Amino acid sequence: MNLAQVHLSAPRYVLGETEADHTTVKDLSRKAREFGMPPKASLWGWGSVRRTDESLETLAVRSGLAALNAAGTDPSSVDCLVLCSTRFPGGPRTHGKFMETVMSGLGLDNAAFTGVTLNRCTNLLVGLRTAQAMVAAGHHRTVLVVSTDRISDEAVRMENFALFSDGAAAALVSDVPQGPDAYEIVAGASAQDPRALEWTNEISSDLARVVNERILDAADMKIGDIDGVLHLNLYKPLVVLKERQAGFTKEQLFLDNIPRIGHCFAADPLINLADRAAAGQLRDDGHYLLAASVPGVRVGVLLRKLPTAPTAEAAATETRELR
């Protein structure tokens, strides 16, 4: 069955407004000892973290507006919002006000909405795949996907797999490209092991290989055809080990943001994509894999970078040169 072509456009993000060195993380030295981690910042990729005093709603609105503005998309054309977070505050009595604040801040007066939360740090990629299915099925034409998270207890900013930062990321998923920064969603897949979902279990490279096989088969590609992997910003040795075991080379990985901003929950793959695009590190028609793993789950979304349409000025210059 051939599905309708779906695109991802204008990946954007916001980070906590306060940048702090890793040495300010509460009980870092004690926790490192408990986790059996030698206190070597360069080894683990300890660098900076970002903290915020803003609410989840504010982070969501800021990142969503950044994506809409970058795409040149009017909020009135968005017919669905997929909002992702590892922990929505409150319960049924407060969630209505929460969504009202987010949607009014984004200017989404008539859009449907869906929440994604149980997938932990794969939430954003699950949200993107949900949006892709909605668009491919013709249920919606333009879906805004937003992931927003922050640490509420400084005692858990350091875990045995990452240093956490506060932030949010967003992108548009639609039937046509929107704006100059756009990608075709080529394929996607997930793999789960319900018996390994407990958070203290290890991340599985076996699940990553299953996802790779499903995506590469669907795209008729080999693993070496992937130009880059945009993964979670976990500790460097963990990322390198697990992604190499999944079949990738170190050259396909993107490790720069681990010391720069740490682990922004589910937003990492989109943050890393946006940063590589802004730095001119993506090639036209290149293939880039958004990937996220937590214990018991792996999710991947394969993108093809669409060539940037020339501006009117550039097109006029090219025409003059051809004369």
Side-chain angles (χ1 to χ4, degrees):
M1 180 176 64
N2 293 323
L3 296 177
Q5 194 174 80
V6 182
H7 301 86
L8 181 147
S9 303
R12 293 295 185 272
Y13 68 90
V14 297
L15 299 173
E17 64 276 8
T18 301
E19 181 177 2
D21 189 75
H22 68 276
T23 55
T24 67
V25 173
K26 185 177 181 180
D27 294 331
L28 183 141
S29 297
R30 178 182 62 79
K31 285 194 169 185
R33 290 194 299 271
E34 290 179 357
F35 296 147
M37 302 171 65
K40 297 181 179 179
S42 59
L43 170 64
W44 304 108
W46 296 342
S48 298
V49 295
R50 302 293 288 263
R51 297 186 175 97
T52 188
D53 291 324
E54 296 180 333
S55 65
L56 289 177
E57 300 98 306
T58 299
L59 292 172
V61 169
R62 288 180 57 208
S63 64
L65 289 177
L68 290 169
N69 292 336
T73 300
D74 192 293
S76 63
S77 67
V78 175
D79 51 6
C80 184
L81 169 69
V82 175
L83 185 61
C84 312
S85 183
T86 57
R87 186 179 292 107
F88 290 115
R93 293 185 178 182
T94 61
H95 287 170
K97 183 61 178 177
F98 180 87
M99 289 306 305
E100 177 190 353
T101 301
V102 172
M103 297 186 75
S104 62
L106 292 168
L108 304 182
D109 295 329
N110 299 304
F113 62 88
T114 295
V116 176
T117 189
L118 290 178
N119 304 85
R120 294 172 288 173
C121 290
T122 67
N123 279 332
L124 176 57
L125 297 193
V126 171
L128 291 176
R129 297 200 69 218
T130 300
Q132 178 193 9
M134 290 174 171
V135 174
H139 296 312
H140 297 288
R141 294 194 61 187
T142 303
V143 182
L144 177 61
V145 182
V146 179
S147 180
T148 179
D149 276 292
R150 55 163 296 174
I151 289 291
S152 57
D153 180 1
E154 287 296 323
V156 296
R157 192 168 290 280
M158 180 185 186
E159 291 288 1
N160 62 344
F161 54 89
L163 295 180
F164 282 83
S165 278
D166 307 330
L172 289 158
V173 176
S174 55
D175 55 355
V176 296
Q178 305 207 19
D181 186 10
Y183 307 79
E184 176 192 354
I185 300 179
V186 177
S190 64
Q192 300 77 222
D193 179 1
R195 296 164 298 181
L197 288 172
E198 207 279 327
W199 77 278
T200 58
N201 288 322
E202 289 190 11
I203 288 173
S204 170
S205 54
D206 291 337
L207 292 178
R209 286 192 290 269
V210 170
V211 168
N212 288 348
E213 181 179 355
R214 291 172 179 171
I215 287 177
L216 294 171
D217 284 351
D220 193 23
M221 293 172 56
K222 297 179 180 179
I223 197 165
D225 297 329
I226 295 176
D227 293 88
V229 182
L230 293 315
H231 42 69
L232 296 181
N233 296 331
L234 310 179
Y235 294 138
K236 279 186 177 180
L238 179 59
V239 170
V240 173
L241 173 64
K242 293 301 181 180
E243 298 301 338
R244 290 292 302 275
Q245 288 177 339
F248 297 110
T249 66
K250 190 172 182 180
E251 289 69 31
Q252 288 173 295
L253 308 183
F254 181 66
L255 306 174
D256 295 0
N257 273 347
I258 295 175
R260 189 179 79 85
I261 58 174
H263 177 39
C264 295
F265 297 82
D268 289 346
L270 216 55
I271 291 173
N272 295 339
L273 177 69
D275 280 356
R276 291 201 66 176
Q281 296 177 354
L282 306 182
R283 69 177 184 87
D284 287 350
D285 293 316
H287 288 84
Y288 300 91
L289 180 70
L290 307 180
S293 289
V294 297
V297 181
R298 170 74 166 200
V299 184
V301 176
L302 182 64
L303 307 176
R304 177 179 68 87
K305 186 182 185 306
L306 300 181
T308 302
T311 63
E313 181 180 354
T317 300
E318 183 178 359
T319 300
R320 287 195 297 270
E321 291 175 348
L322 291 173
R323 288 176 178 172

